[in-house]
Amino acid sequence: GEQVEQLPSILRVQEGSSASINCTYENSASNYFPWYKQEPGENPKLIIDIRSNMERKQTQGLIVLLDKKAKRFSLHITDTQPGDSAMYFCAASDQGGRALIFGTGTTVSVSP
Amino acid sequence: NSKVIQTPRYLVKGQGQKAKMRCIPEKGHPVVFWYQQNKNNEFKFLINFQNQEVLQQIDMTEKRFSAECPSNSPCSLEIQSSEAGDSALYLCASSLPGSNTEVFFGKGTRLTVV
């Protein structure tokens, strides 16, 4: 079936540095790409998303990039803080109401 | 705070027992999704609805799993005969209809099958 590959699975960074997570997708009809942050014992929370009519989006220390030709999108967390430590999931969907296909997750650990 | 309300938060069942969990989507969201998140944190899509109609479901859902979203009542997901492998976090999510719409998750029901 359709897959979204997410790398790396574990990312350890120093506080204040940036963290980058990359995802690739298979379905060329995919047009919506959200990112979720999930802390232990909590639900996934939508932190940023990008639609296929954009190549770049930025909000509150987060940047997402989309390369439709390469079927690749990425999340960049700038100036990481310990509170950014969590699991991050990318996802993709091709049509409203259809299921999001999730990546396998990245555990981000920010050390002081 | 999540506006998708799931109950119960925790559910413990013996093998072969029924397990039922409920979800109230965010107000005004007609699209509801159910996902299973296993101990490795992997997401598995189970089924989704728009209003009361099933949009998509996987084969597993058609056998031991059943789900519905009746009008004016919470949506529900029921496992007819629980197996140890069903132990997981069951996440309900909702969204508006149409393309490119944001999907919001509830806090989940953690099912443990003993």
Side-chain angles (χ1 to χ4, degrees), chain A:
Chain A
E2 296 173 30
Q3 286 191 346
V4 174
E5 185 174 337
Q6 182 172 348
L7 291 170
S9 55
I10 299 173
L11 184 55
R12 295 189 177 93
V13 297
Q14 288 283 113
E15 183 177 356
S17 66
S18 62
S20 296
I21 305 170
N22 298 292
C23 290
T24 55
Y25 59 97
E26 296 180 343
N27 184 356
S28 56
S30 296
N31 58 10
Y32 177 62
F33 308 91
W35 287 88
Y36 288 85
K37 176 182 180 183
Q38 188 176 22
E39 296 178 83
E42 293 292 320
N43 55 323
K45 293 180 173 64
L46 179 66
I47 55 172
I48 192 169
D49 57 16
I50 191 165
R51 292 166 175 81
S52 57
N53 60 347
M54 301 175 73
E55 294 179 349
R56 186 180 192 276
K57 185 175 179 180
Q58 181 170 358
T59 179
Q60 296 178 334
L62 303 174
I63 300 171
V64 288
L65 302 175
L66 173 62
D67 181 344
K68 286 178 289 185
K69 277 189 180 177
K71 295 187 201 171
R72 182 171 58 221
F73 58 114
S74 56
L75 173 70
H76 306 272
I77 309 170
T78 60
D79 188 23
T80 53
Q81 300 298 311
D84 294 323
S85 297
M87 278 205 80
Y88 291 80
F89 293 91
C90 63
S93 75
D94 61 0
Q95 188 175 325
R98 286 177 62 85
L100 290 171
I101 308 298
F102 280 85
T104 49
T106 297
T107 301
V108 173
S109 177
V110 181
S111 52

Side-chain angles (χ1 to χ4, degrees), chain B residues 27-54:
Chain B
K27 191 174 181 181
H29 283 190
V31 181
V32 174
F33 304 82
W34 285 100
Y35 284 87
Q36 179 195 65
Q37 189 177 27
N38 66 20
K39 62 181 180 181
N40 295 320
N41 294 307
E42 296 163 333
F43 285 82
K44 178 183 281 186
F45 167 74
L46 298 176
I47 192 167
N48 62 347
F49 294 83
Q50 181 158 341
N51 297 311
Q52 293 81 52
E53 302 286 327
V54 174

Side-chain angles (χ1 to χ4, degrees), chain B residues 48-64:
Chain B
N48 62 347
F49 294 83
Q50 181 158 341
N51 297 311
Q52 293 81 52
E53 302 286 327
V54 174
L55 293 176
Q56 294 170 276
Q57 60 183 337
I58 64 167
D59 286 346
M60 180 182 82
T61 314
E62 293 174 11
K63 294 171 181 172
R64 292 184 302 109

